[in-house]
Amino acid sequence: MSFNFASDNVAGASRPVLDALVAANGGPMPAYGTDPITLRVVSMLAELFERDIEALLVATGTAANALALAACLDPWGLCLCHEEAHVIDDECGAPEFFAHGAKLLGLPGTGGKLSPETLGQAIDRLPRHEKQMPAQVVSLSQATEAGLVYTPDEIAALAAVAHARGLVVHMDGARFANALVQLGCSPAALTWRAGVDILSFGATKNGCFAAEAVIAFKPDLVRSLRFRRKRSGHTLSKGRLLAAQFDGYLRDDHWLDNARHANAAAARLSAGLAGVAGIRLAWPTQANEVFAILSSGMDAALKAAGTIYHPWSPRSLADGERLGPGEALVRLVCSFAPEPSDVDGVIAAARSAGR
Ligand SMILES: Cc1ncc(COP(=O)(O)O)c(C=O)c1O
């Protein structure tokens, strides 16, 4: 028996997404994103976000982030983000590469979150001289790399600090759906109404096979995006097959169902593990990821029982929380696919090791 909680991406694509792909496959259609499915998906996204938007579809989250940030940054510009953000830690420098040399600056914060104070002070401390790179963008991960969600009020407070200093607000929404269903608010409330200017709208982790959208809420950010996408090799010639994934994903709120399923699995796993001796949670479980601090014996027992997960960085633990000798901080991610029995299998393995 094996329980794979290594990543959201251990799951394949969901059935409605595959069905939509098959339905879109027949017959000729215009290429390069000028097909009726792409146009329909952009309208669906505009309806979802309750306003005119510009949406560009791409196949990976790294491409979405790198293109979005490049559209907002001069080559000499600085993007502030959390020190453990995917954009700074896990994209092999793609944002800097796509933005022709712009730089990312990581800031500390508990649970992967930036605070308005940290952000404001960091920007205000930067020297304002042509020898130094000026801050132009702040990037927020929703949910964060520690599985926490920013509320609309928290985003608005950060956006107020950023906008007052002339910065653009980018949101890396690789797990946007998981944050949205946790908060129970609208996509508009979680983005442009709170001050987000440009969003990487993730869909791959939550049911698509390779589909993400860059959604710009400010028309002037869009000017360069199409050229940047093509120039970087991210304009798919058979664009309808990219759009079809979104068609299946968004239709009948399938994406929200998937996110609710993933979050419920994580809540079940979190509650079960937290009740076992030798395990404590590193951060509360607010989306589809569980971060647990395990004794070395528990870590070995879970692995021996076939549970697959990754170690995680303790850098953004709360003040006063730290790993004891031999303890490990690990991340277990629930995709949209696990059955309650998969979750219960891990909890049972932990309980029997904890006895
Ligand atoms: C916070 C975050 N942003 C973006 C991504 C997108 O990455 P990829 O390029 O693998 O689709 C990920 C994937 O792990 C992520 O966790």
Side-chain angles (χ1 to χ4, degrees), residues 221-283:
L221 295 178
V222 183
R223 201 174 35 88
S224 69
L225 265 171
R226 285 180 192 283
F227 296 107
R228 289 178 192 279
R229 183 177 62 169
K230 179 63 185 166
R231 191 171 156 86
S232 62
H234 280 284
T235 302
L236 263 64
S237 48
K238 295 190 180 176
R240 67 166 135 163
L241 297 177
L242 191 49
Q245 297 176 63
F246 273 108
D247 203 14
Y249 181 70
L250 297 173
R251 197 175 286 276
D252 300 327
D253 289 344
H254 171 59
W255 67 298
L256 300 177
D257 291 341
N258 277 1
R260 283 192 195 101
H261 180 98
N263 287 11
R268 186 181 182 104
L269 183 60
S270 175
L273 292 182
V276 174
I279 301 184
R280 63 186 192 283
L281 296 179
W283 301 285

Side-chain angles (χ1 to χ4, degrees), residues 18 23 40 87 154 165 168 205 207 249 304 340 343 352-353:
L18 291 175
R40 182 163 75 242
V87 287
E154 288 173 326
R165 291 157 175 83
V168 167
K205 290 180 187 301
Y249 181 70
V343 171
S352 71

Side-chain angles (χ1 to χ4, degrees), residues 60-62 65 86 91 145 172 174-175 205:
T60 74
T62 298
N65 284 337
H86 200 269
E91 299 189 351
E145 281 71 12
D172 173 358
R175 298 189 179 87
K205 290 180 187 301

Side-chain angles (χ1 to χ4, degrees), residues 37-107:
I37 304 176
T38 302
L39 301 181
R40 182 163 75 242
V41 161
V42 173
S43 307
M44 287 163 97
L45 288 169
E47 197 176 317
L48 197 68
F49 283 91
E50 303 175 56
R51 58 170 288 166
D52 281 347
I53 48 144
E54 186 76 26
L56 248 77
L57 309 187
V58 291
T60 74
T62 298
N65 284 337
L67 288 168
L69 292 178
C72 309
L73 283 164
D74 288 317
W76 53 88
L78 199 57
C79 167
L80 296 103
C81 59
H82 190 271
E83 62 189 357
E84 301 207 283
H86 200 269
V87 287
I88 197 170
D89 251 6
D90 295 300
E91 299 189 351
C92 199
E96 292 96 328
F97 180 63
F98 279 37
H100 306 289
K103 207 157 90 176
L104 272 68
L105 177 67
L107 304 177

